[in-house]
Amino acid sequence: MENQGPTGGLTPHIAIADKRASEAIEFYKQAFGAVEQVRMPAEDGVRLMHAHLHINGSSLMMHDDFPEYSGQSMAAPSGVTLHLQVEDADRWYDRAIAAGATSVMAPENMFWGDRYAQVKDPFGHLWSIGHPLKGEG
């Protein structure tokens, strides 16, 4: 299969609870312009063993939770923020909110020189969105 490997660098690989990975793919398409590369269904025909998306020039890999393999259901996502460095943070933030993300921080000009926002997707993952302020490099 073509385009099934990461685009390079660090590639996040996230788990989605409650058999919602297919739904998450559709959300990421609407919210972040994701392009689906690969979808590998599990034997149960409901969950996904693996999926690979391209978002903003980078890879995101994901799968449904499989408690039968780990011995427990996954905990809610925490402690990780997925960052999108974009050309227009306000536009990306607005698109994510329109797709169903929850605002954590509306776009603001930050002291480090970025226009920056945060949203939480419907699956519990935190995303930050930013772009450099003009003249800040």
Side-chain angles (χ1 to χ4, degrees), residues 36-49:
E36 184 175 338
Q37 300 300 309
V38 173
R39 185 186 296 221
M40 297 178 182
E43 290 179 3
D44 65 13
V46 176
R47 295 176 293 175
L48 298 180
M49 290 295 291

Side-chain angles (χ1 to χ4, degrees), residues 3 14 16 43-44 52 54 65 72 87 98 122 124:
N3 294 325
I14 61 174
I16 305 294
E43 290 179 3
D44 65 13
H52 178 194
H54 285 169
D65 183 29
Q72 61 188 2
E87 295 205 9

Side-chain angles (χ1 to χ4, degrees), residues 5 10 34 50 56-57 63 72 76 86 92 95 98 104 116 118-119 132 137:
L10 180 66
H50 174 74
N56 194 35
H63 60 87
Q72 61 188 2
V86 299
W92 280 69
R95 182 173 62 180
V104 174
Y116 181 85
Q118 289 186 348
V119 298

Side-chain angles (χ1 to χ4, degrees), residues 40-87:
M40 297 178 182
E43 290 179 3
D44 65 13
V46 176
R47 295 176 293 175
L48 298 180
M49 290 295 291
H50 174 74
H52 178 194
L53 309 177
H54 285 169
I55 298 176
N56 194 35
S58 294
S59 290
L60 174 67
M61 295 194 182
M62 58 190 295
H63 60 87
D64 273 298
D65 183 29
F66 286 86
E68 63 269 33
Y69 298 134
S70 64
Q72 61 188 2
S73 293
M74 64 178 271
S78 67
V80 173
T81 302
L82 301 164
H83 182 72
L84 293 166
Q85 191 71 15
V86 299
E87 295 205 9

Side-chain angles (χ1 to χ4, degrees), residues 68-128:
E68 63 269 33
Y69 298 134
S70 64
Q72 61 188 2
S73 293
M74 64 178 271
S78 67
V80 173
T81 302
L82 301 164
H83 182 72
L84 293 166
Q85 191 71 15
V86 299
E87 295 205 9
D88 184 342
D90 292 83
R91 185 172 59 81
W92 280 69
Y93 170 87
D94 290 343
R95 182 173 62 180
I97 296 300
T102 302
S103 179
V104 174
M105 176 189 298
E108 294 181 32
N109 294 345
M110 303 307 282
F111 69 90
W112 62 81
D114 275 0
R115 180 89 172 148
Y116 181 85
Q118 289 186 348
V119 298
K120 187 168 279 196
D121 71 29
F123 315 96
H125 297 279
L126 183 63
W127 295 76
S128 61

